[in-house]
Amino acid sequence: MAQNEAQQLQEKVGASQTFVLVEPIDTPNGEVKELTVRRVKIKDFKRAAAMHPDSSVMQEMVALSAAVDLQIEDFDNLTWEDYSKIRKFCLGAN
């Protein structure tokens, strides 16, 4: 998938990164082989916390799916390896 100029600029300054998936996922919009991911923002966490006040796992999933621009149901189909790479980029976590 070719990147547009805005995506290229975001990657250059470290605001986003494109990941080629280890295993493509099927979404209602078709097969996804790569994802452009942006950094997680505070508003993503606030929204996730409001949606799932009792589950830190779901809060993280909702915040990361927003950064990837996927529905949570589609995000659930990522491999653990892809999820780990995205998580590390978005959160700076291991």
Side-chain angles (χ1 to χ4, degrees):
M1 182 184 309
Q3 293 182 320
N4 65 33
E5 288 181 36
Q7 289 171 320
Q8 291 172 354
L9 180 60
Q10 287 179 342
E11 276 202 24
K12 189 173 185 178
V13 298
S16 71
Q17 185 171 336
T18 300
F19 293 93
V20 176
L21 299 177
V22 171
E23 185 176 304
I25 58 172
D26 289 318
T27 72
N29 295 326
E31 185 178 71
V32 175
K33 295 180 180 182
E34 63 181 37
L35 295 171
T36 299
V37 182
R38 66 167 171 79
R39 302 281 184 188
V40 172
K41 302 198 185 292
I42 297 300
K43 66 182 177 182
D44 300 323
F45 276 117
K46 287 171 63 176
R47 182 174 153 258
M51 290 173 67
H52 300 282
D54 299 325
S55 176
S56 61
V57 170
M58 286 305 298
Q59 289 172 11
E60 182 176 303
M61 295 285 289
V62 169
L64 290 175
S65 69
V68 176
D69 198 25
L70 283 177
Q71 296 296 317
I72 192 72
E73 295 82 11
D74 298 325
F75 194 75
D76 282 346
N77 291 319
L78 290 173
T79 64
W80 189 257
E81 184 177 351
D82 288 326
Y83 175 80
S84 297
K85 288 188 276 187
I86 291 167
R87 183 176 190 270
K88 184 173 183 174
F89 172 78
C90 289
L91 305 177
N94 292 322

